[in-house]
């Protein structure tokens, strides 16, 4: 039992927990908000400290090999040699990384972790059940952080057809790219882009789609790894391609769509519109090939601003679509409302405190502990409801688990202080404190969203 305690004690050490919490906060909150050089390197520094210490607790007899293997595998992972392995496992696991040899500056953290663990080896964790359960909980959180570090890739699809034009292609197997369709035109290659793999967008809107469209011809050339070259900007090329959806008439300026686009099917136009260097512009008309309905979609700088539905030239519905600037403005309004709500709850709690002092709510020890343990989950449920109400909840499973862990780590000690030191004054204070923390979390998440949207 003592050997097990010695193995697990490092998982409860202050520095291990500090770097673990920092890794989760960075990967799920700081990176989406700032996405800069510092946040990228911070994950490497934190991960290289906690990773070998964690696996040393699992395999204590192979401790030195765990640290050596961590250094070797990290170096290999950050090199171009790992690309072959990534391509093999990509169909089965959502995994991604960036080749950046500057990340190797984090390798000294492995040596720091070794020295920290070695110097801490004589301390004893004790045999308390709560200590062991705490170590198991931290271990589960550590495994979660390792799995969640490689962020899931997302698919960017396009409502309107997207093409690029390349010159002098030598690509042989034109059917090996599921997201692309190829059409050879003498010394030119027309590439139809059905979708792109992207990192998770801040908001799945036309503004984010436009980011994917920037330098689209260069991105396609990089993906197919062909010896083709880009078409010089200013050179006008008009071509027609026969696709499964219809016959598309395309006008290119260099390698990007620029000018009128028409898709014909069974001798009738089904899609008509204009491109401005790859971005939709002006008014597009999409006709129903079966009935007499049509949709008129208005674009400004590639972003949809209005959609009108017609049936036999009779207007059925019209809807205004928020652009990215509209979304940012509305999010600021939401932030202001949340701050006002927080102020109201704080005033309510202060009023309860003043009206009942020095009296307080009498609770048994068991109930106090239950409140401290259950409050974080209740706070997360309230946070979840607030985000749904604001229509801002788009987290995947990893982000949801990270939020639950972060809220537990933050709320549990705060509730402990409130229950045992400040003391509850009325029963409703339990709900008010939980609601206050939920709104505080929502305020932070809304602020992070504004920061990300504004970049």
């Amino acid at each position: 039992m003592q050997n097990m305690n010695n193995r697990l004690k490092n998982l409860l050490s202050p520095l291990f927990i500090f770097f673990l919490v920092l890794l989760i906060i960075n990967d799920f909150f700081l990176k989406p908000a700032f996405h800069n050089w510092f946040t990228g390197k911070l994950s490497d520094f934190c991960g290289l400290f906690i990773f070998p210490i964690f696996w040393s607790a699992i395999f204590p007899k192979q401790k030195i090999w765990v640290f050596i293997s961590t250094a070797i595998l990290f170096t290999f992972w950050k090199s171009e040699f790992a690309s072959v392995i990534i391509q093999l496992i990509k169909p089965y696991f959502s995994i991604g990384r960036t080749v950046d040899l500057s990340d190797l500056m984090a390798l000294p953290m492995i040596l720091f972790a070794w020295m920290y663990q070695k110097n801490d080896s004589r301390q004893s964790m004790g045999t308390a059940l709560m200590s062991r359960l705490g170590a198991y909980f931290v271990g589960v959180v550590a495994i979660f952080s390792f799995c969640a570090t490689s962020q899931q890739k997302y698919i960017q699809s396009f409502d309107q057809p997207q093409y690029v034009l390349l010159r002098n292609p030598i690509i042989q197997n034109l059917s090996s790219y599921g997201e692309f369709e190829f059409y050879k035109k003498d010394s030119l290659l027309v590439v139809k882009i059905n979708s792109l793999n992207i990192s998770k967008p801040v908001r799945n809107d036309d503004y984010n789609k436009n980011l994917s469209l920037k330098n689209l011809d260069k991105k396609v050339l990089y993906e197919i790894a062909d010896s083709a070259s880009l078409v010089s900007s200013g050179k006008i090329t008009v071509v027609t391609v026969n696709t499964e959806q219809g016959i598309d008439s395309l006008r290119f300026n260099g390698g990007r769509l620029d000018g009128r686009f028409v898709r014909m099917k069974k001798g009738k136009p089904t899609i008509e519109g204009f491109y401005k260097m790859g971005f939709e512009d002006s008014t597009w008309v999409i006709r129903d090939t079966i009935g007499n309905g049509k949709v008129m979609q208005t674009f400004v700088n590639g972003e949809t601003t209005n959609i009108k539905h017609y049936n036999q030239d009779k207007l059925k519905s019209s809807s205004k679509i928020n652009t990215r600037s509209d979304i940012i403005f509305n999010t600021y309004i939401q932030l202001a409302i949340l701050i006002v709500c927080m102020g109201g709850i704080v005033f309510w709690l202060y009023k309860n405190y003043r009206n009942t002092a020095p009296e307080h709510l009498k609770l048994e020890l068991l109930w106090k502990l239950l409140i401290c343990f259950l409050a974080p989950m209740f706070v997360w449920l309230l946070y979840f409801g607030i985000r749904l109400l604001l229509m801002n909840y788009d987290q995947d499973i990893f982000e949801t688990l990270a939020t639950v862990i972060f809220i537990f780590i933050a709320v549990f000690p705060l509730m402990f202080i409130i229950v045992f030191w400040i003391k509850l004054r009325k029963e409703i204070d339990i709900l008010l404190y939980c609601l206050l923390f939920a709104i505080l979390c929502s305020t932070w998440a809304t602020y992070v969203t504004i920061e990300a949207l504004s970049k």
Side-chain angles (χ1 to χ4, degrees):
M1 182 65 70
Q2 188 62 37
N3 289 336
M4 177 179 290
N5 290 337
N6 288 333
R7 289 166 53 184
L8 296 177
K9 64 170 176 34
N10 285 316
L11 302 185
L12 289 178
S13 65
L15 207 54
F16 182 90
I17 294 177
F18 170 77
F19 279 114
L20 176 59
V21 173
L22 185 59
L23 177 64
I24 293 174
I25 293 175
N26 185 63
D27 282 348
F28 291 96
F29 299 100
L30 300 182
K31 272 187 178 179
F34 304 105
H35 195 68
N36 53 25
W37 179 89
F38 177 77
T39 57
K41 297 295 182 284
L42 186 58
S43 290
D44 296 327
F45 277 85
C46 294
L48 287 181
F49 181 86
I50 66 174
F51 188 86
I53 291 180
F54 171 81
W55 289 109
S56 293
I58 305 298
F59 304 106
K61 294 182 179 180
Q62 287 78 36
K63 183 185 299 184
I64 187 170
W65 289 111
V66 167
F67 279 81
I68 294 174
S69 299
T70 300
I72 295 173
L73 289 175
F74 181 77
T75 303
F76 174 76
W77 181 253
K78 291 297 180 178
S79 71
E80 295 182 356
F81 301 106
S83 300
V84 176
I85 296 177
I86 291 175
Q87 292 300 323
L88 290 176
I89 64 178
K90 218 171 186 180
Y92 312 102
F93 299 97
S94 178
I95 192 169
R97 62 91 207 238
T98 302
V99 178
D100 187 357
L101 295 180
S102 67
D103 291 342
L104 299 182
M105 70 170 63
L107 283 174
M109 288 297 292
I110 300 177
L111 178 61
F112 176 55
W114 171 265
M115 296 173 62
Y116 175 77
Q117 183 176 245
K118 187 176 181 180
N119 293 334
D120 195 46
S121 61
R122 294 195 179 115
Q123 297 179 9
S124 177
M125 186 184 76
T127 59
L129 176 61
M130 290 301 294
S131 296
R132 292 201 300 274
L133 291 178
Y136 295 146
F137 173 76
V138 172
V140 171
V141 174
I143 293 175
F144 162 76
S145 68
F146 299 150
C147 296
T149 297
S150 296
Q151 295 296 303
Q152 176 185 355
K153 295 295 182 181
Y154 290 79
I155 303 298
Q156 176 65 64
S157 57
F158 304 102
D159 293 332
Q160 316 304 339
Q162 279 293 339
Y163 291 87
V164 298
L165 187 67
L166 300 175
R167 188 203 307 272
N168 301 323
I170 62 169
I171 189 168
Q172 300 297 326
N173 188 5
L174 299 181
S175 62
S176 60
Y177 300 89
E179 67 275 26
F180 299 146
E181 296 178 23
F182 300 96
Y183 303 92
K184 284 188 174 180
K185 298 289 182 178
D186 299 325
S187 63
L188 299 174
L189 180 68
V190 180
V191 185
K192 183 175 185 289
I193 299 93
N194 298 317
S195 61
L196 289 173
N197 290 323
I198 61 171
S199 300
K200 182 181 179 181
V202 180
R203 186 64 61 91
N204 189 18
D205 56 8
D206 281 346
Y207 185 90
N208 185 78
K209 175 208 66 178
N210 292 345
L211 295 179
S212 301
L213 291 176
K214 286 184 177 180
N215 302 316
L216 184 61
D217 49 349
K218 296 178 182 178
K219 294 177 184 177
V220 172
L221 185 60
Y222 175 81
E223 286 291 330
I224 65 177
D226 189 65
S227 64
S229 58
L230 301 174
V231 180
S232 301
S233 178
K235 179 176 176 55
I236 305 300
T237 307
V238 179
V239 296
T240 301
V241 295
N242 194 350
T243 71
E244 294 181 359
Q245 296 79 24
I247 301 174
D248 292 349
S249 299
L250 313 173
R251 182 184 185 275
F252 290 96
N253 182 344
R256 305 303 302 275
L257 288 170
D258 189 67
R260 190 166 183 263
F261 171 91
V262 179
R263 171 172 289 175
M264 303 291 292
K265 190 170 185 179
K266 297 180 180 179
K268 297 181 179 179
T270 58
I271 301 178
E272 294 180 89
F274 292 88
Y275 283 101
K276 183 183 289 186
M277 294 307 294
F279 301 102
E280 298 97 328
D281 188 52
S282 188
T283 301
W284 282 65
V285 180
I286 299 96
R287 293 182 174 85
D288 187 355
T289 56
I290 299 176
N292 295 318
K294 68 178 180 181
V295 176
M296 297 186 68
Q297 196 168 352
T298 304
F299 292 90
V300 175
N301 297 324
E303 293 186 80
T304 306
T305 58
N306 188 273
I307 298 178
K308 295 181 179 179
H309 293 265
Y310 291 85
N311 185 14
Q312 294 182 347
D313 295 328
K314 183 178 180 180
L315 180 64
K316 293 178 59 180
S317 64
S318 177
S319 56
K320 180 183 180 298
I321 308 299
N322 287 334
T323 63
R324 177 61 69 91
S325 59
D326 296 327
I327 293 173
I328 292 174
F329 177 79
N330 294 339
T331 309
Y332 269 113
I333 297 297
Q334 293 174 354
L335 182 62
I337 293 173
L338 290 172
I339 293 174
V340 170
C341 290
M342 273 198 305
I345 294 174
V346 170
F347 178 76
W348 193 347
L349 288 169
Y350 174 75
K351 188 177 178 182
N352 288 347
Y353 185 88
R354 288 292 302 271
N355 291 342
T356 58
E359 297 294 327
H360 60 84
L361 193 63
K362 305 294 185 181
L363 293 172
E364 295 181 2
L365 178 61
L366 178 60
W367 282 107
K368 291 181 179 180
L369 292 175
L370 281 175
I371 289 173
C372 293
F373 275 101
L374 296 179
M377 184 54 64
F378 191 50
V379 168
W380 178 81
L381 290 173
L382 290 172
Y383 165 81
F384 178 74
I386 292 171
R387 299 295 285 172
L388 285 179
L389 183 64
L390 298 177
M391 295 181 292
N392 280 334
Y393 193 85
D394 59 349
Q395 294 183 339
D396 58 28
I397 182 62
F398 282 120
E399 290 173 312
T400 299
L401 290 175
T403 303
V404 171
I405 292 170
F406 176 75
I407 287 177
F408 183 87
I409 293 172
V411 171
F412 176 78
L414 290 175
M415 287 302 298
F416 195 87
I417 293 172
I418 291 168
V419 171
F420 287 94
W421 181 44
I422 298 177
K423 300 186 184 303
L424 299 167
R425 302 294 164 170
K426 294 183 178 181
E427 292 181 355
I428 197 170
D429 285 0
I430 302 173
L431 174 62
L432 291 177
Y433 277 114
C434 290
L435 186 58
L436 177 64
F437 294 143
I439 294 177
L440 184 62
C441 293
S442 299
T443 302
W444 168 253
T446 303
Y447 169 76
V448 170
T449 299
I450 290 175
E451 285 291 312
L453 290 173
S454 301
K455 287 186 179 296

